[in-house]
Amino acid sequence: MSRHLRIATRKSSLALWQAEYVKARLEELHPHITVSLVPMVSRGDKLLDSPLAKIGGKGLFVKELETAMMNDEADLAVHSMKDVPMNFPDGLGLYVICEREDPRDAFVSNRYETVASMPAGSIVGTSSLRRQAQLMARRPDLTVHFLRGNVNTRLAKLDAGEYDAIILAAAGLMRLGFQERIGYAMAPEESLPAGGQGAVGIECRTDDTELHELLAPLNDVDSGLRVRAERALNHRLNGGCQVPIACYAEREAGQIWLRGLVGQPDGSRLITAEARGPEDDPEKLGIAVAEDLLSQGAQDILDAVYQEEGGAR
Ligand SMILES: NCc1[nH]cc(CCC(=O)O)c1CC(=O)O
């Protein structure tokens, strides 16, 4: 079967890396197909300098790619699972979750080895309320400053001396060849990752069964089960990557072990929950852990964050 496939992708270096990765895998698996990239600018990219939390909206990074697929200008889109909303427009679906890269957060600094060794008053850059909440809970004496932009921009701002340290996803650094910049990968106990962090997913049209077959070998069962549990938790809490929700699933002794956390952005309160459940129903486990968090008052924290976003912070 010969076919030409078009991959819709954002233009950031990380998005392009991920699209090139899927292109290479597809061409290696299926010598008779050709693959090209259709790079495009998403609303999220145009707004990179403003706090995404404020301009609100999940799916800021995927909408343009979805429109391209629906208009038959592209056949598939490659996403960081962390940024993909739970629900898909009619006619599109998520068909593959690829093998997950390191899901942990990375501590990056030119001055200090660890969070613990930073003196009081040190400035840490991140724009993730999830990272901020967990950092401030441990070290209320540190100062968090806003930091957005793609991976290269963030490293450049660190190197310019604007921050004593920054925290970003290990996966993005590793994919772009910056692994030597990682001071250390933070254990889930120190910084529980965002749902889906480190995993790449592939979205395409539901009626393109020929493409579904071509994509099938890219699916990684282990990563898929874990990310499904995490996404179910996020979905139950109605959260995207702009809210202080963390969750991380591992497989252990034939079960899925899911940990979840909702944190007050200033670190004054962290709500945690965890549970183990059967591998045949990751969604049920995700919902159960989410409901445990809700029963402990997570909604109050989330409501306050949403209110802040809607306002003129
Ligand atoms: N929210 C932006 C984003 N989306 C995916 C990644 C990193 C790679 C990944 O999780 O697959 C990043 C950057 C970061 O959080 O540092």
Side-chain angles (χ1 to χ4, degrees), residues 25-76:
R25 295 270 333 255
L26 283 170
E27 288 177 337
E28 167 198 318
L29 284 161
H30 312 294
H32 299 296
I33 66 165
T34 53
V35 185
S36 60
L37 302 193
V38 184
M40 48 188 65
V41 177
S42 73
R43 216 168 93 79
D45 295 305
K46 289 183 196 147
L47 299 168
L48 264 187
D49 287 329
S50 55
L52 276 187
K54 268 200 281 181
I55 48 183
K58 292 174 267 179
L60 275 176
F61 292 115
V62 304
K63 199 146 251 123
E64 283 74 10
L65 311 188
E66 290 179 333
T67 304
M69 288 186 282
M70 293 194 283
N71 293 342
D72 197 23
E73 292 154 8
D75 302 295
L76 61 155

Side-chain angles (χ1 to χ4, degrees), residues 129 132-137 139-140 263-270:
L129 297 180
Q132 175 182 322
Q134 296 184 83
L135 180 72
M136 298 287 284
R139 289 293 310 270
Q264 191 88 39
D266 68 3
S268 59
R269 186 165 179 222
L270 296 185

Side-chain angles (χ1 to χ4, degrees), residues 100 226-227 229-230 247-251 256-259:
R100 193 174 208 176
R226 293 163 61 197
V227 172
E230 294 163 7
C247 56
Y248 182 52
E250 293 175 82
R251 287 169 85 201
I256 305 176
W257 171 32
L258 177 64
R259 287 179 269 182

Side-chain angles (χ1 to χ4, degrees), residues 4-281:
H4 181 68
L5 295 174
R6 299 156 298 174
I7 303 182
T9 173
R10 296 168 49 213
K11 288 182 183 172
S12 76
S13 48
L14 184 58
L16 287 171
W17 185 96
Q18 293 174 170
E20 289 285 358
Y21 165 82
V22 168
K23 174 183 192 292
R25 295 270 333 255
L26 283 170
E27 288 177 337
E28 167 198 318
L29 284 161
H30 312 294
H32 299 296
I33 66 165
T34 53
V35 185
S36 60
L37 302 193
V38 184
M40 48 188 65
V41 177
S42 73
R43 216 168 93 79
D45 295 305
K46 289 183 196 147
L47 299 168
L48 264 187
D49 287 329
S50 55
L52 276 187
K54 268 200 281 181
I55 48 183
K58 292 174 267 179
L60 275 176
F61 292 115
V62 304
K63 199 146 251 123
E64 283 74 10
L65 311 188
E66 290 179 333
T67 304
M69 288 186 282
M70 293 194 283
N71 293 342
D72 197 23
E73 292 154 8
D75 302 295
L76 61 155
V78 177
H79 304 298
S80 289
M81 284 310 300
K82 193 163 79 163
D83 303 323
V84 179
M86 203 55 203
N87 300 312
F88 297 91
D90 276 349
L92 296 177
L94 186 79
Y95 281 84
V96 166
I97 294 177
C98 302
E99 187 179 354
R100 193 174 208 176
E101 176 56 274
D102 192 329
R104 293 174 292 179
D105 285 328
F107 176 84
V108 180
S109 171
N110 298 319
R111 296 173 184 157
Y112 303 105
E113 306 260 302
T114 60
V115 168
S117 64
M118 300 182 87
S122 297
I123 296 169
V124 180
T126 176
S127 53
S128 151
L129 297 180
R130 172 186 65 80
R131 291 174 181 142
Q132 175 182 322
Q134 296 184 83
L135 180 72
M136 298 287 284
R138 199 170 282 258
R139 289 293 310 270
D141 57 324
L142 299 179
T143 303
V144 172
H145 280 184
F146 185 75
L147 170 65
R148 260 210 78 78
N150 61 40
V151 174
N152 302 277
T153 310
R154 292 193 222 183
L155 289 173
K157 288 180 179 171
L158 173 73
D159 293 343
E162 288 179 45
Y163 307 89
D164 294 302
I166 60 176
I167 301 175
L168 60 182
L173 291 167
M174 294 169 76
R175 290 186 176 127
L176 295 178
F178 292 122
Q179 46 266 63
E180 82 283 359
R181 299 295 308 260
I182 299 176
Y184 70 104
M186 302 170 84
E189 293 73 26
E190 182 176 10
S191 191
L192 198 68
Q197 185 159 300
V200 169
I202 304 177
E203 181 182 10
C204 64
R205 286 185 295 273
T206 47
D207 63 5
D208 196 348
T209 49
E210 182 184 88
L211 178 55
H212 303 167
E213 277 176 40
L214 293 168
L215 293 176
L218 289 178
N219 192 58
D220 183 69
V221 174
D222 174 71
S223 305
L225 290 176
R226 293 163 61 197
V227 172
R228 277 169 59 196
E230 294 163 7
R231 283 170 62 73
L233 182 149
N234 274 336
H235 188 52
R236 181 67 186 83
L237 296 179
N238 206 4
C241 120
Q242 284 82 262
V243 285
I245 303 175
C247 56
Y248 182 52
E250 293 175 82
R251 287 169 85 201
E252 205 185 65
Q255 288 197 305
I256 305 176
W257 171 32
L258 177 64
R259 287 179 269 182
L261 176 152
V262 173
Q264 191 88 39
D266 68 3
S268 59
R269 186 165 179 222
L270 296 185
I271 300 174
T272 61
E274 65 177 286
R276 289 174 166 79
E279 298 188 331
D280 61 8
D281 201 347

Side-chain angles (χ1 to χ4, degrees), residues 236-238 245 262 269 271 290 292-306:
R236 181 67 186 83
L237 296 179
N238 206 4
I245 303 175
V262 173
R269 186 165 179 222
I271 300 174
D292 189 340
L293 293 166
L294 289 170
S295 76
Q296 299 180 59
Q299 196 64 52
D300 294 342
I301 294 181
L302 297 175
D303 285 346
V305 170
Y306 289 127

